[in-house]
Amino acid sequence: MAALEEEFTLSGVPLGAGPDGLLGVEPSDKTDQFLVTDSGRTVILYKVSDQKPLGSWSVKQGQTITCPAVCNFQTGEYIVVHDDKVLRIWNNEDVNLDKVFKATLAAEVYRIHSIQGTEPLVLFKKGAVRGLEALLAEPQQKIETVISDEEMIKWTKIFMVFKHPVLIFITEKHGNYFAYVQMCNSRILSRYTLLPGREEKPVIQSFTASVDRKFILLMSLSSDGCIYETLIPTHPSDPEKNQVVVRSLLLKAVVSGNAPNGVALSVLDRDHVAVLETSPSAPKDCLSIWNIKFQTLQASKELLQGTSGQLWYYRENLFMLHGKFLTVIPYKCKMSSLAGALGKLKHIQDPGTHAVPHFVNWETSQEYGLGSQNSEQSRILRSRKVEVSLQPAVSASTQLLLTIKNDTEKHIEVELRKFLAIKQTPDFHTVIGDIVTRLLGRCKAEPSFYPRNCLMQLIQTHVLSYSLCPGLMEVALEKTDVQTLQLCLQQFPDVPESVTCACLKIFLSISDDSLQETDISAELVFGYSDTVQDEKMEGQTEIMENGFNPKEENCNKEKPKGTTEETTLSPVTPKRAALLRNAVLHSAYSEAFLLPHLKDIPAQHVTLFLQYLYFLYLKCSENATMTLPGIHPPTLNQIMDWICLLLDANFTVVVMIPEAKRLLINLYKFVKAQISVYSELNKIEVSFRELQKLNQEKNNTELYSIEVLELF
């Protein structure tokens, strides 16, 4: 449950603030004091409780502040950078920035990060990171280049993880996004490529992040108005390797229509995010708080005078430019529950009581102002800490099983991704089986519950089999989930023939419109790519192979009618072809057990499958050196075996269908041609045997010799 309280104004916008708003709002070492930096020349220190400025400092005319001022929590001094390279340090007693400490650096600064528990860190525009003390000891030291010239930093943030600073920054290059994680204590830098989700548009408008145990939860608001989440480990297994992470959908349609450029996203705690939406066409902007655990809107506020599309939050206060004023909106986020998310939680708390957030980092509680609470609240917090420490530790697998029992599909998916990222234990196979069993049990109890993404993640662990979880494919068949069925056929080595045939029926009968909506990769399916591939294949048939031209062999033979058309045009769509080729044809089976089930397939579907198999057969037989594209393409023997199986099971039915007449004639001609080829090969075999005998008898051959053998 979350709420937005009454807003109040700090002051008018500083004269130096340009059309893009402020450079930043950063906390001071005092509880309710904040540094506000405009996009021109001025830094102002505000005290929120008094709603007035305590001090103001400006750089000289002609100079421009280029990154937000921050407070050094170790010394209480303030730090700012102007003109990209000039660093200034001052305190409350200083009046003129021109007379304070100055250091000119060797490279351009992007941002200075300061957080309690560590010294300030300087992030340069080319990705290098330096501690403030080391930088001040040698300001002109050489700064290395971490990112390429075409990459630009879009967003950055710092966290404390196990009392050590971790800095993350996001770069963009040609529409692609990359995350860099810098472990400042060990100087380990890891790079991750952020791949878009299945339905995500590539343009990202805003980033935010939080830390949960061993992961950075990176959230991004894309131009489709949806929030996506990416889990990035703070301690990667292979820091030297460029790793890939995928953004997954977290929250749909938090912004109406396409998200404009002026939109901001901030994570408030592990269950709530704040979204500031600007609308150039509408006369008002909107600030909203969403519950990401239960996918609900908790609070919203219309901002009639418009905003700059910037949002900052500290100590239960949201800061933004509202019209021409710097505005503060206090907020409250209570413990997340389904009743609270739906607005049905009974309010037993006094109106004036301040709610303490349930998500508390005990190591850094002073940073968030908990030290300012009264003694009774501090005693309650201490007692809670003791109670938590006395509770027995719950294993990650047990916690996940409890989550599966009641939580939403999205929350279960996030927790499952975290669990799978943990180092595997000896009982990993058993635990995965228990997780699948628990998910399937809830699927049967709740028909509306079907966590497809979770099931696919579990299948891809490569530890499941049909015998371990027979109900998995049964549920997928009921839901007509062709994506999961395809994955099961590819991963499970012991799928019964009856289930394989049931999958085949669905793959052949599902409509093309339904297939179009599914996420099935058809890139490696032959016959749909582009004309360049076809031109290359045509060129291959012209090549002389050991002095033999395939066209010469067939010049005196009658070419079956329709061969050219059926070779170039597939009878099925790319996604249906992917299901048949990449799943069914590779399935293990016993002919005796499969044949009875093949007889239950409708005749029109048998004909369609035969036509596609014939299409693949023609492609394979066009050129002796050609193989179908893909990582594991079906072999010619697999294609022929399935053709024979279908004809053995359904020949009496197929022969009566007019649509199959042409197909059967073409198959007959090809079989007849193959018999003729094999007959000729048998005749040549005798000659080769005689040559082999002659070669074995001549044992006095020198190291180099030329022999001429004549065949009559």
Side-chain angles (χ1 to χ4, degrees):
M1 183 176 178
L4 293 169
E5 299 182 354
E6 189 67 26
E7 66 183 79
F8 58 89
T9 300
L10 288 183
S11 71
V13 178
L15 294 176
D20 296 333
L22 302 174
L23 283 181
V25 177
E26 295 289 335
S28 176
D29 55 344
K30 303 298 189 298
T31 301
D32 64 341
Q33 295 182 13
F34 295 88
L35 288 168
V36 178
T37 309
D38 67 24
S39 54
R41 301 168 46 218
T42 308
V43 178
I44 303 175
L45 178 65
Y46 284 101
K47 186 173 183 179
V48 175
S49 58
D50 294 342
Q51 302 182 28
K52 67 178 184 180
L54 300 179
S56 177
W57 301 268
S58 298
V59 295
K60 291 194 307 182
Q61 188 74 29
Q63 296 175 341
T64 304
I65 297 177
T66 50
C67 76
V70 298
C71 177
N72 185 341
F73 291 98
Q74 294 181 336
T75 64
E77 297 174 316
Y78 307 126
I79 313 164
V80 76
V81 173
H82 64 82
D83 301 315
D84 293 317
K85 293 184 179 182
V86 182
L87 186 144
R88 299 277 186 174
I89 300 177
W90 77 99
N91 53 40
N92 286 320
E93 286 71 29
D94 294 314
V95 178
N96 190 346
L97 284 185
D98 192 41
K99 297 181 180 180
V100 302
F101 177 84
K102 170 185 174 183
T104 303
L105 308 179
E108 295 183 349
V109 175
Y110 178 80
R111 181 74 183 269
I112 300 176
H113 285 289
S114 185
I115 190 172
Q116 287 195 9
T118 185
E119 67 169 325
L121 298 174
V122 180
L123 173 63
F124 291 89
K125 288 187 177 181
K126 289 303 179 181
V129 179
R130 290 287 190 277
L132 180 64
E133 295 301 324
L135 197 60
L136 294 180
E138 189 181 353
Q140 285 297 309
Q141 62 183 273
K142 184 178 180 181
I143 305 299
E144 71 274 10
T145 298
V146 175
I147 63 178
S148 64
D149 293 336
E150 296 177 333
E151 282 186 76
M152 293 186 62
I153 299 178
K154 308 296 288 186
W155 175 87
T156 178
K157 192 169 183 178
I158 189 173
F159 305 96
M160 289 296 288
V161 179
F162 300 116
K163 298 183 179 180
H164 294 293
V166 175
L167 189 147
I168 179 174
F169 60 92
I170 307 297
T171 66
E172 186 267 338
K173 177 181 177 182
H174 304 316
N176 300 313
Y177 295 89
F178 307 92
Y180 292 81
V181 178
Q182 175 78 59
M183 302 292 296
C184 300
N185 61 321
S186 58
R187 300 203 173 190
I188 296 176
L189 179 66
S190 306
R191 184 177 188 265
Y192 299 86
T193 301
L194 304 180
L195 294 182
R198 298 188 185 99
E199 302 175 358
E200 183 183 3
K201 296 183 179 180
V203 180
I204 298 180
Q205 305 290 5
S206 181
F207 288 97
T208 188
S210 62
V211 171
D212 184 8
R213 291 176 291 187
K214 298 181 180 180
F215 296 92
I216 296 175
L217 282 72
L218 178 66
M219 300 180 192
S220 56
L221 179 57
S222 291
S223 53
D224 58 358
C226 299
I227 298 176
Y228 294 83
E229 181 187 49
T230 307
L231 289 179
I232 300 176
T234 55
H235 294 81
S237 56
D238 188 1
E240 302 296 330
K241 183 180 179 182
N242 181 25
Q243 303 176 69
V244 176
V245 290
V246 180
R247 300 193 291 268
S248 59
L249 182 62
L250 181 66
L251 200 59
K252 280 188 176 181
V254 297
V255 176
S256 57
N258 293 330
N261 291 329
V263 65
L265 174 68
S266 294
V267 58
L268 305 180
D269 61 21
R270 65 182 178 187
D271 292 333
H272 298 91
V273 294
V275 179
L276 177 62
E277 176 185 359
T278 63
S279 177
S281 57
K284 56 191 175 184
D285 296 348
C286 181
L287 173 66
S288 57
I289 296 180
W290 292 79
N291 187 306
I292 57 179
K293 183 177 181 180
F294 296 106
Q295 311 279 299
T296 55
L297 175 64
Q298 295 290 281
S300 64
K301 192 179 191 69
E302 292 182 349
L303 305 170
L304 301 179
Q305 299 178 31
T307 68
S308 63
Q310 297 170 295
L311 183 66
W312 299 271
Y313 76 100
Y314 297 102
R315 302 163 188 160
E316 296 192 344
N317 288 309
L318 293 168
F319 296 82
M320 69 198 70
L321 282 179
H322 185 198
K324 296 182 179 181
F325 296 92
L326 178 60
T327 302
V328 181
I329 303 180
Y331 69 90
K332 292 181 180 179
C333 291
K334 299 181 181 180
M335 184 173 293
S336 183
S337 64
L338 184 58
L342 297 177
K344 298 180 180 180
L345 191 64
K346 293 182 179 180
H347 298 278
I348 59 175
Q349 188 175 340
D350 294 336
T353 305
H354 179 75
V356 179
H358 73 284
F359 187 61
V360 179
N361 184 345
W362 296 102
E363 295 180 354
T364 59
S365 60
Q366 295 297 325
E367 175 186 353
Y368 295 96
L370 294 179
S372 64
Q373 305 294 328
N374 59 41
S375 59
E376 179 63 21
Q377 289 173 323
S378 300
R379 184 188 62 78
I380 294 172
L381 290 176
R382 287 196 299 271
S383 64
R384 286 182 182 175
K385 181 178 179 181
V386 173
E387 290 175 6
V388 171
S389 64
L390 293 177
Q391 291 179 355
V394 180
S395 65
S397 59
T398 304
Q399 184 63 43
L400 179 58
L401 292 175
L402 293 174
T403 302
I404 292 173
K405 187 176 181 180
N406 297 313
D407 277 343
T408 61
E409 293 181 19
K410 183 60 190 176
H411 189 238
I412 294 172
E413 181 183 349
V414 172
E415 294 301 318
L416 177 61
R417 295 209 317 266
K418 296 177 186 176
F419 172 76
L420 295 178
I422 301 173
K423 185 177 180 181
Q424 296 183 7
T425 57
D427 61 343
F428 185 71
H429 292 67
T430 306
V431 172
I432 293 297
D434 292 341
I435 294 172
V436 174
T437 302
R438 185 67 61 89
L439 287 171
L440 295 178
R442 187 174 172 186
C443 286
K444 294 179 180 179
E446 303 177 25
S448 61
F449 178 80
Y450 182 61
R452 176 192 286 108
N453 293 337
C454 293
L455 294 174
M456 293 186 66
Q457 286 185 63
L458 292 167
I459 295 170
Q460 291 172 334
T461 59
H462 304 288
V463 300
L464 293 177
S465 62
Y466 181 86
S467 56
L468 186 62
C469 51
L472 176 55
M473 295 190 72
E474 178 185 342
V475 171
L477 286 168
E478 291 177 0
K479 301 290 185 179
T480 319
D481 183 4
V482 293
Q483 190 178 357
T484 301
L485 291 174
Q486 179 192 30
L487 201 57
C488 289
L489 289 175
Q490 292 173 340
Q491 300 286 347
F492 294 174
D494 57 345
V495 179
E497 286 79 358
S498 58
V499 178
T500 301
C501 200
C503 295
L504 178 59
K505 288 181 183 179
I506 289 181
F507 294 166
L508 291 169
S509 60
I510 188 171
S511 66
D512 291 337
D513 292 338
S514 299
L515 276 179
Q516 194 63 32
E517 298 173 358
T518 59
D519 184 22
I520 299 173
S521 177
E523 294 178 359
L524 299 178
V525 177
F526 184 82
Y528 303 94
S529 53
D530 49 43
T531 56
V532 176
Q533 177 83 0
D534 296 334
E535 290 173 1
K536 289 181 179 179
M537 290 184 299
E538 289 177 5
Q540 288 177 357
T541 59
E542 300 290 343
I543 299 173
M544 301 293 289
E545 299 175 5
N546 295 326
F548 172 75
N549 190 329
K551 284 190 175 182
E552 293 180 2
E553 184 219 8
N554 296 324
C555 61
N556 295 324
K557 293 184 180 179
E558 180 183 356
K559 191 173 184 179
K561 294 181 180 179
T563 299
T564 302
E565 179 184 354
E566 295 187 48
T567 303
T568 56
L569 298 177
S570 173
V572 297
T573 59
K575 291 193 173 183
R576 195 186 306 275
L579 294 172
L580 297 174
R581 180 195 129 145
N582 299 334
V584 175
L585 294 186
H586 286 288
S587 301
Y589 62 86
S590 171
E591 183 176 337
F593 292 105
L594 184 62
L595 276 173
H597 299 288
L598 289 177
K599 294 179 181 179
D600 297 333
I601 301 178
Q604 65 270 25
H605 295 155
V606 173
T607 304
L608 179 64
F609 193 20
L610 279 172
Q611 289 172 342
Y612 179 64
L613 291 170
Y614 176 59
F615 164 78
L616 293 180
Y617 176 76
L618 291 175
K619 290 298 180 183
C620 281
S621 59
E622 275 183 350
N623 194 329
T625 61
M626 179 185 171
T627 57
L628 295 178
I631 300 174
H632 299 293
T635 63
L636 188 60
N637 287 338
Q638 287 176 319
I639 297 170
M640 288 301 301
D641 289 343
W642 272 95
I643 290 176
C644 295
L645 283 169
L646 288 171
L647 289 176
D648 288 345
N650 300 278
F651 183 76
T652 55
V653 177
V654 174
V655 76
M656 303 296 294
I657 302 176
E659 295 84 359
K661 181 178 179 181
R662 178 179 170 186
L663 172 64
L664 294 175
I665 292 175
N666 287 335
L667 286 173
Y668 169 75
K669 290 181 179 181
F670 262 81
V671 172
K672 184 177 180 181
Q674 291 297 316
I675 293 174
S676 176
V677 171
Y678 283 118
S679 177
E680 296 297 327
L681 289 176
N682 286 331
K683 295 177 182 178
I684 299 175
E685 184 182 7
V686 178
S687 301
F688 279 115
R689 286 177 182 173
E690 293 300 324
L691 288 175
Q692 188 176 9
K693 289 180 181 179
L694 289 173
N695 189 38
Q696 291 175 354
E697 291 176 357
K698 295 181 179 181
N699 53 8
N700 58 349
T701 306
E702 300 296 335
L703 292 178
Y704 177 77
S705 65
I706 297 176
E707 297 182 17
V708 180
L709 301 176
E710 295 184 6
L711 297 176
F712 296 96

